[in-house]
């Protein structure tokens, strides 16, 4: 069963007795005769929890104030009978047609002034008071009706906030943006200073003059755009908190969450602001085929989600058994890929494995999105694989509640990402995530586990701190990073970090202003590289993405540029500082070159790999008071050997001193 | 002369005494002194018919209710004097500026809410009652004035319906969409069921809530989008019928048509619904340079047009003597290409060869579109070629009224195409036409002629029935296809056929639901391939576009996947059923591999080639009670030999027993 | 000092005593303590002029009618104290937020009906009377306050007109377009004839029916689109003239200019109409990295700017010391590139070198645009380079006022460019500039200097006249070109020239109508080539971009097509005519082939190179009554030798008889 939280501190422990297994359940799509079959198959698959009601508003409240809860009562009862815990959604993610028809002013408007109409999902303006009032009304109904239902295990507020209705540029948002700015800046003088309105005649002399950064003649004001990102994230967080407050009033001891989207292509919300307000951090993750390294991205975002949860276990609310249907072409997952994907999430700290969705739709927008029960039905390889995965999840129960071990921190900051993507930057091809993902991937290849955390995180205890493209940084965070180095850590700073303050004002006198002293490096000018362009490095290999006119004023040059406009200038440097070392990368070296450098960094820092494994085999360790578990994910097409002894919970075999993990499968070894 | 239809049955026989030759004539673009020259040159070129008035509204009715028919009277008289038949347009394809200025509510609005303004052509909303009333008013004037004009041979309603004003998403269309839906579904309950509104909270509780599938947050509801295609086609068909009714009242015995656009890139109307309402099926066809096989596409669409005409001769209303001016770069037709293009249309059933336009404009939007009389004037290779073509058309008179022979049917369904192009499909790269065009092309290379017909067509008599990507299919059509196999036909079904019903609801239990039993194949999951991706086939060659987790439950596996996620599964199968055979292609093999398979299919089916010819030489046969004609189109740069004896109407020579057709020319042999 | 103009004829001589050096100065971006530092560094860098106030409206008039001139008074005073001339902007380029908020009707609207909001720059409709009144109000204030300020040297009206607010399609523009058309055409009949409205039912019967060429169903009417370009250019010219008139009233003897943008990617204004209204022609130029030959483009546009100035010296108002920040990726200028760029402008006639901007912003939209003082501050290679460049500029004082020598004219016409880019052309890939840039580049490689001038320019005295893609041409200009040939010049006409008259009506009877007799060539049909397509040439090499069905009726065929649809037809021809020769290029040959042809043309025409130099070394000569100066710009990485004797003003050394110019630097030799 799905925990039984009574107090907030209890909630935070959930689930401590199993790896929960289940997914979104949308019985309203099916005639009732299918529901009994659902129960039978859920039992067969080992489903322990389902999320109900995510898109049910139009079925729960078909007209304003008229509710139809009968079907949901029946569903809740049925699930309770079968011992399946319910993560009950507030159903407020998407308004019913009657609401949009009665209140077209709730429709979002994009940057080009284009209204986004109903016909899909989430067509509501994040600032709309009308929408909020009606959403809170439904939440109130649900919370008061089901707060003491025996099947209820968790509240699921809205769904994938910001996934498709942010940013909105409508007049309602314009009106809400102004008081947000007034709270942030206090005065127009401060706003004008922060936004640098002396440029391009943008000085505001009344709050009413301020608008969202709508479509304009050419590129806009970067701080204006940055603040609009902040405003959007804050607006939806306030929405979430208002729903949570309604629930809390009726249901004080059931955990409340909303499912994040910690995926590479989704960076619309500052989840570091949101996470403290989650009783349990939950997220969705889908593998994107267009990525060069899709499984490394999966691991990265597992580590990021764990970072958001402060190291605690987290809930994978949604992933997919096979293809999605929103990519240009949607490849399947070949046999065993789902097992590897799911256990990678557990290896990175997930204690629950949810899928979208239980039964594949026969109609509608996502009918070609894979599910636990495919169109082909139970007599299918896919459903047999699901049953096997459910059984494995059950066998991993003892892992629940344990924590992942890591000695390396990779800093991640959504605000820095927003600023890097802003208008008028040195390179429009620079992606905020590239350096972070690359370093993380190469360390993962070396069996080194990273926590992905916010710059404001306490860095004490990390042997290595990676600062990738931290373009925007506060004085405090920069100071803490320097202090970590002085305290003995190895700090690895990459290009385009520490350039600006939180207003996106450049720190003058030579880049990278916030880290110039720490690194002993001064950069006079950037020379971003074109896609497919590279520069030679004197230490071997090539650099891509970035290069600079950098001089080592007080640092050892490990590699200099061997070509390009700043040939001879410093590309990679190292400086001993206090008990630690500050490393600088002014470019992104090729994998081999950067890998060798990281080998040196972890060696000098005394970070040992989790285990000795070949590339393509991913390992992490989870540990609790009860023991430790080595996760071995063999992504290769050959069996691999790992020095570990204990009980493999996947194969239910005792292994050791060397365990052999077959090709394309996983072992989870309770270490002897 | 251009027929003299007295009764509807007569009309259907038109033209039985010649291959008509002519094109759009727009004398209003030129001073009157040019008109006499036009008559002289038309005579020289052998022009027997012209279409007049297509874009003349603003010249016929320069302000509301004030008409200027004098110039048209003169043009009609002049043409009559010269024995040139007139296909008289209703001139309602494009409103005059005064109409748009007085009624801006008629302007179409695109999916993004963008108004489409005047300045080009056809800027009118298909649902607009204002526009319809004014268009019918002009039609009334024309019909009553010219119905008994001796030059009048045919009525040409509007022009290229839907070419550029469909789909429209304006409020007028929204209001018209609702009663259309009410007629289709009867109740909101039925609509909700058909559209699968249980997903994403889309349940409608009042008709007023329904909107066009306008720009929305992410992808929309596929059945909503599909129904909007149907609504658009039906709306314009109703418009056509209302114009036709006005004409019929005044002019009961003159054939009425509107020119279709049976071209690969135009699929906005369901011409299978439209064709029964044409007294003569007419179409426009332009060669698109960007296609990989532009001339195969031409042949395909000739066969499709003939299919629309129920096998009867049809009118090629427009094609071009050389370059068009709406492609990114507009290549010319090299010498003799026009002859080959034109005779390909005749070879596929055309009895009239029309061109856009008679005299190349010196100003305006299409001044760089080629014409019968080029900018260079009559002293030009192009005009000499036109005269030659006119003479050839005259010599083909005896062919008129004959029918093309075919033993193979290729099924084509605009609705299936709309559904395949809909949102949220397994692959956004899948083009509905690919399988149909490829099979048709390879059969054409083998001198096998196909009819391209709707799935509801009576399939009796076809030896081979090809079912290419017939994603959406009714139970009735699927049953008829199976019956054809049981009755002795060879049915060739390709990937992504029979998947959904007409509501786009997936047929459950394993794909391809509608053809699972017929084929003896069950597919558990799709694995669409990326552009440029392929999979090995055990029988040789590679597959592209698509692959699947397919098992042959009751079929012989001719080829299995040799790579990809479903290596080992069935790719190509064969099952004997009743007197016939059901073949299945789960992927699109390369040309050689698919060609070999088709060789086997036609051999087993007893389909003989029209003639033995090398690849690049296209042959068809037309036959009537009076005899048969072998069309030989030598697209190659070498002379070719064909075993045929008789009189070649092109070269005016007796040929046989083996005829030699020179490089890049054509023979039309009345078989001895 | 910056001239001291007393009369208009004086103004035209400015600056005759130095090469001015400076740039945009935006002190309002910085606290006052920085200003003193600015003065110190300007002195160090040799800055002699600055442009002030370009984007200062919101700082000068923070609310309607309330002015804050104190800070500007102080800035002007400070500059005066330091002997720095001021080019004072009218500050009307970008409205303050209060203005847009009070008058949203001034916002521009794009072709798609999308409003362009504030948040960037220049968000104002060119036709807005409200905006014009308020702009003239500010201009009045500035002109009356500063007209006799001792620092004032020049007035800078607005900024980069049309850079981002043209074309605007709003209702205000629609209303202004109609009287403009009425003035142009006199009657609707004339408009209908000019626009060819007989096509596509576009006949206008009242002026109110005419609209801007807004988003429409498919491509629009070319003459309508062309006239909208003309209207836009005229509208902004009228705006400029109204500002100039206000200034002239207060400040009759100070030169007035507005900075053009003579760059390849900016062709929105017909600067040939604008130039006569400039007391000094000034322009901005930025190197665009995406171009294949960015430095040739720089030279071309120097020659074009000189052409606009009627051969007189001109002001380079803005260029950049290094990277800009509006390209996809913004590469730096490697060391010495700035020197070469700047001196290339002087070599082409610039007497002033301005930069955007003095001090690199720390905030706002262009903070990553390079400047004279970089973020790194005065202790930087970039600032040291700036000081060196300032010193060189000072040493070139004697060059000021001299004129560049050229014997070749390349014709350039913005209207022809608009027409070539218009809808419905034979090729959408044809770029108006390609032929002009290519011929200019190959002549520059041969040390031959060209004037780039309008077709209406007096061509007397030019030995060679190049007519590149002069699609649109008046009878008068065509006649003058033919007269030049008869008078002894070598006229080189390229493909797609002389095709249409100024209404974009095709000249009938065979292309190229306007030049058919001159060239002795008649073209029956165009065959534009696809990107990456070429045709063989019998004379060697290949042609790209274009080919034709051309016959030499009275000309020598130098090269015929050896492949393609018109194999055998004339590609390159030559005809002796009167005392001169008419050459025709129906295609664009590869560089080697075209280069050989140009070698022959200049040899036959008796044009000698400026000097014998290797490719990659650019040379021009400026001459005045006081002497002559040879500019040698060595773009290569090797030293080069040039036969010249005299004083090199750059190195301050006497050179000759052969001077050696080091790699990647320049010499300016006052010839002995």
């Amino acid at each position: 069963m799905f925990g039984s939280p009574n107090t907030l501190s209890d909630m935070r422990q959930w689930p401590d007795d199993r790896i929960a297994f289940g997914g979104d359940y949308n019985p309203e799509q099916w005639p009732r005769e299918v529901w009994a079959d659902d129960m039978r198959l859920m039992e067969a698959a080992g489903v322990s929890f389902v999320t109900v009601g995510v898109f049910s508003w139009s079925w729960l409240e078909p007209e304003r104030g008229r509710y139809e809860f009968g079907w949901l009562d029946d569903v809740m009862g049925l699930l309770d009978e079968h011992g399946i815990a319910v993560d009950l959604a507030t159903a407020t993610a998407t308004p019913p047609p009657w609401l949009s028809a009665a209140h077209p002013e709730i429709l979002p408007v994009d940057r080009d002034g284009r209204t986004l109409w109903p016909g899909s999902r989430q067509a509501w303006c994040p600032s709309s008071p009308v929408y909020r009032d009606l959403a809170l009304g439904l939440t109130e109904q649900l919370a008061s009706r089901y707060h003491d239902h025996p099947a209820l295990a968790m509240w699921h507020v809205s769904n994938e906030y910001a996934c498709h209705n942010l940013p909105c540029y409508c007049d309602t948002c314009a009106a809400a943006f102004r008081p947000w700015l007034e709270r942030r800046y206090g005065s127009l003088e401060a706003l004008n200073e922060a936004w640098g309105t002396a440029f391009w005649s943008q000085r505001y002399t009344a709050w009413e003059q301020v608008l969202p950064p709508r479509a304009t003649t050419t590129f806009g004001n970067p701080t204006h755009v940055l603040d609009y990102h902040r405003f959007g994230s804050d607006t939806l967080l306030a929405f979430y908190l208002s729903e949570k407050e309604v629930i809390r009033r009726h249901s004080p001891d059931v955990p409340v969450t909303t499912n994040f989207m910690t995926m590479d292509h989704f960076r619309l919300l500052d989840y570091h602001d949101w996470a403290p307000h989650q009783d349990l951090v939950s997220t969705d993750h889908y593998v994107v085929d267009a990525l060069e390294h899709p499984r490394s991205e999966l691991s990265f975002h597992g580590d990021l989600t764990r970072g958001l949860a402060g190291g605690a276990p987290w809930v994978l609310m949604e992933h997919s058994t096979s293809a999605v249907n929103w990519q240009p072409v949607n490849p399947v997952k070949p046999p065993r890929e789902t097992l590897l994907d799911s256990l990678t999430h557990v290896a990175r700290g997930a204690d629950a494995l949810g899928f979208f969705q239980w039964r594949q739709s026969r109609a509608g927008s996502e009918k070609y999105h894979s599910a636990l029960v495919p169109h082909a039905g139970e007599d299918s390889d896919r459903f047999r694989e699901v049953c096997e995965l459910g059984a494995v999840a059950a066998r991993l129960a003892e892992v629940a509640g344990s924590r992942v071990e890591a000695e390396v921190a990779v800093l991640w900051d959504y605000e820095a990402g927003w600023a890097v993507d802003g208008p008028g930057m040195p390179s429009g091809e620079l992606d905020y995530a590239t350096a972070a993902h690359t370093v993380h991937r190469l360390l993962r290849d070396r069996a080194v586990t990273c926590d992905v955390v916010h710059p404001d995180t306490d860095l004490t205890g990390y042997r290595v701190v990676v600062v990738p493209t931290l373009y925007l940084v506060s004085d405090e965070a920069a100071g803490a990073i320097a202090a970590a180095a002085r305290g003995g850590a190895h700090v690895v700073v990459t290009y385009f970090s520490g350039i600006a303050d939180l207003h996106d004002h450049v720190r003058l006198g030579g880049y990278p202003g916030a880290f110039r002293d720490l690194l002993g490096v001064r950069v006079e000018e950037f020379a971003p590289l074109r896609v497919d362009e590279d520069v030679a490095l004197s230490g071997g290999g090539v650099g891509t993405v970035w290069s600079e006119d950098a001089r080592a004023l007080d640092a050892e040059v490990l590699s200099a540029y061997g070509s390009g406009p700043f040939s001879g200038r410093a590309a990679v440097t190292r400086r001993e500082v206090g008990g630690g070392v500050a490393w600088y990368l002014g470019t992104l070296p090729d994998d081999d070159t950067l890998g060798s450098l990281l080998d040196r960094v972890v060696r000098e820092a005394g970070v040992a790999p989790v285990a000795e494994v070949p590339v393509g085999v991913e390992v992490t360790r989870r540990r609790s008071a009860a023991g430790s578990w080595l996760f071995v994910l063999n992504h290769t097409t050959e069996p691999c050997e790992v020095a570990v002894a204990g009980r493999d919970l996947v194969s239910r075999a005792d292994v050791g001193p060397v365990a052999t993990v077959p090709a394309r499968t996983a072992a989870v070894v309770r270490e002897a």
Side-chain angles (χ1 to χ4, degrees), chain A:
Chain A
M1 246 300 294
F2 200 85
S4 54
N6 296 313
T7 69
L8 279 172
S9 68
D10 273 349
M11 293 181 208
R12 284 294 189 170
Q13 307 309 315
W14 178 92
D16 56 1
D17 63 349
R18 73 185 310 162
I19 300 298
F21 182 72
D24 281 19
Y25 182 40
N26 299 305
E28 65 271 43
Q29 291 180 28
W30 299 93
R32 286 195 174 226
E33 51 270 29
V34 174
W35 298 2
D37 205 47
D38 287 336
M39 294 305 115
R40 181 177 64 80
L41 294 178
M42 284 187 193
E43 205 149 55
V47 165
S48 64
F49 86 103
V50 292
T51 302
V52 173
V54 168
F55 292 113
S56 303
W57 192 342
S58 70
W59 299 83
L60 294 171
E61 189 181 4
E63 64 183 72
R64 186 166 183 162
R66 182 167 70 75
Y67 298 97
E68 293 184 353
F69 286 120
W71 68 271
L72 183 54
D73 292 348
D74 295 348
V75 167
M76 296 287 286
L78 208 55
L79 290 164
D80 186 42
E81 278 170 38
H82 290 80
I84 296 168
V86 174
D87 170 42
L88 186 57
T90 56
T92 53
T94 295
W98 63 257
L99 199 169
S100 314
H103 295 285
E105 72 274 20
I106 70 155
L107 297 176
V109 174
D110 77 4
R111 190 173 177 274
D112 288 338
R114 200 174 56 137
T115 296
L116 302 180
W117 293 84
S120 182
R121 54 182 254 186
Q122 277 159 307
W124 53 277
C125 161
S127 303
S128 167
V130 168
Y131 185 76
R132 190 186 53 233
D133 288 353
L134 287 161
L136 295 185
L138 178 62
T139 304
E140 177 87 35
Q141 290 288 326
L142 284 159
S144 62
R145 188 175 191 93
Y146 296 108
H147 67 96
D148 57 359
H149 195 285
L152 180 68
M154 184 155 56
W155 288 102
H156 181 289
V157 178
S158 194
N159 184 63
E160 294 180 341
Y161 270 112
C163 187
H164 314 296
N165 60 346
L166 198 74
C168 171
Y169 296 85
C170 78
D171 289 342
T172 307
C173 283
F177 186 35
R178 292 165 197 143
W180 182 91
L181 288 168
E182 205 164 350
R183 287 192 297 278
R184 181 173 181 86
Y185 292 111
S187 71
L188 278 171
E189 288 64 34
L191 174 94
N192 281 314
E193 171 61 22
W195 288 11
T197 59
F199 196 63
W200 285 357
S201 190
Q202 297 176 348
R203 180 186 175 192
Y204 296 95
T205 51
W207 290 106
E208 291 66 36
Q209 294 161 9
V210 184
L211 291 167
R214 292 172 176 166
T216 181
T217 46
T218 179
F219 50 94
N221 179 305
T223 313
H224 183 190
V225 172
L226 175 61
D227 273 349
Y228 208 67
H229 280 291
R230 289 168 169 146
F231 161 72
S233 181
D234 283 2
T235 299
L236 283 173
L237 177 53
F239 194 103
Y240 165 77
L241 289 173
S242 66
E243 286 209 61
K244 185 178 178 187
E245 191 197 324
V246 170
I247 294 167
R248 187 59 75 231
R249 223 174 331 109
H250 294 278
S251 184
D253 53 6
V254 176
V256 178
T257 192
T258 186
N259 49 335
F260 292 168
M261 294 178 72
T262 49
M263 288 179 261
D264 180 44
H265 64 285
F266 188 88
R267 300 183 202 157
L268 290 169
L269 300 177
D270 188 343
Y271 286 135
H272 290 106
D273 288 340
W274 285 62
H277 302 289
Q278 310 301 313
D279 296 329
L280 284 162
V281 165
S282 66
T283 197
D284 299 347
H285 189 276
Y286 291 95
V287 175
V288 171
D289 184 57
L291 293 173
E292 196 178 344
H293 301 284
R295 262 66 203 187
S296 303
E297 190 268 355
L298 189 159
S299 301
F300 182 93
H301 286 279
D303 292 346
L304 169 59
T305 309
R306 186 176 71 252
L308 291 166
W314 48 277
V315 173
L316 180 65
M317 194 65 88
E318 298 180 17
H319 64 324
S320 71
T321 60
S322 188
V324 299
N325 72 326
W326 38 259
Q327 302 189 72
V329 177
N330 297 284
V332 296
K333 293 192 184 183
R336 310 207 64 73
E337 192 78 58
T338 311
L339 176 77
L340 286 165
D341 284 353
S342 296
L343 292 189
T344 302
H345 287 291
V346 179
R348 305 279 166 182
D351 271 9
L353 291 171
F355 289 86
F356 177 84
Q357 60 181 332
W358 166 247
R359 188 180 279 276
Q360 192 169 7
S361 307
R362 67 183 164 182
S365 292
E366 294 201 309
K367 65 179 176 293
Y368 290 112
H369 192 295
S370 62
L372 290 159
V373 182
H375 285 151
E378 64 184 294
D379 177 15
S380 63
D381 284 359
R382 196 57 72 185
F383 187 68
R384 283 183 285 274
E385 187 179 68
V386 162
C387 293
E388 184 191 340
L389 182 58
V392 168
R395 295 203 294 273
L396 296 184
E398 63 185 66
V399 174
S402 65
R403 292 191 168 219
V404 175
E405 289 184 339
E407 296 177 304
V408 177
V410 174
L411 303 190
W412 181 263
D413 179 11
Y414 288 96
E415 293 208 353
W418 294 335
V420 165
D421 287 344
M425 292 306 250
S427 172
E429 296 293 343
L430 182 66
D431 179 37
Y432 170 62
T434 301
H437 281 191
T438 304
V439 170
H440 184 275
R441 172 171 56 81
L442 294 173
L443 290 173
R444 170 180 172 273
D445 288 349
R446 282 157 177 75
V448 172
T449 309
C450 303
D451 286 345
V452 178
V453 296
H454 189 266
D456 288 342
T457 305
D458 178 8
L459 300 175
T460 312
Y462 287 113
R463 289 175 184 270
V464 176
V465 176
V466 183
V467 185
T469 313
L470 191 63
Y471 166 74
L472 210 75
V473 69
S474 68
D475 293 347
E476 295 69 27
I481 289 163
R486 284 194 307 272
H490 284 244
V491 171
V492 181
V493 178
T494 83
Y495 57 90
F496 215 44
S497 294
I499 305 305
D501 66 17
L502 298 187
H503 292 323
D504 193 9
H505 287 207
V506 174
R507 296 167 179 276
L508 301 176
Y511 316 117
F515 299 122
R516 206 164 57 214
D517 292 343
L518 169 65
L519 300 170
V521 169
R522 181 168 179 265
V523 177
E524 290 186 16
E525 200 169 351
F526 302 129
L529 302 177
R530 296 175 199 91
V531 174
D532 298 329
E533 191 183 9
D534 60 36
V535 283
L537 297 175
S538 67
V542 297
T544 57
V545 176
W546 203 260
S547 69
E548 301 176 327
D549 183 9
R551 264 160 266 218
L553 302 182
D554 176 21
E556 179 191 359
V557 176
L558 301 182
S559 195
Y561 296 110
S563 65
F566 296 122
S567 188
R569 296 296 184 217
V572 183
T573 66
R574 179 182 184 280
R575 175 170 177 256
E576 302 195 2
V577 46
V581 178
W583 306 75
Y584 181 60
L585 287 164
T587 187
L588 186 71
D590 60 273
D591 279 4
D592 283 351
T593 305
L594 180 53
S596 301
L597 186 81
L598 292 172
D599 283 337
R600 181 173 167 189
V601 170
V602 297
R603 190 173 65 240
E604 289 191 18
V607 175
V610 173
E612 295 291 340
V613 284
V615 169
V617 179
E618 183 173 357
V619 285
T620 68
R621 180 173 284 109
R622 293 184 61 162
R623 187 184 297 278
S624 73
S628 71
W629 294 266
L630 185 74
F631 282 72
V632 185
L633 299 145
N634 183 358
H635 298 288
T636 75
T637 54
E638 301 294 330
C640 75
E641 301 200 329
V642 192
V644 62
R647 174 75 174 177
D648 175 13
L649 305 180
V650 175
S651 64
R652 285 175 291 188
D654 289 323
V655 296
V658 169
T660 300
V661 182
R664 300 196 58 69
T665 190
V668 179
V669 181
R670 183 179 61 242
E671 293 174 297

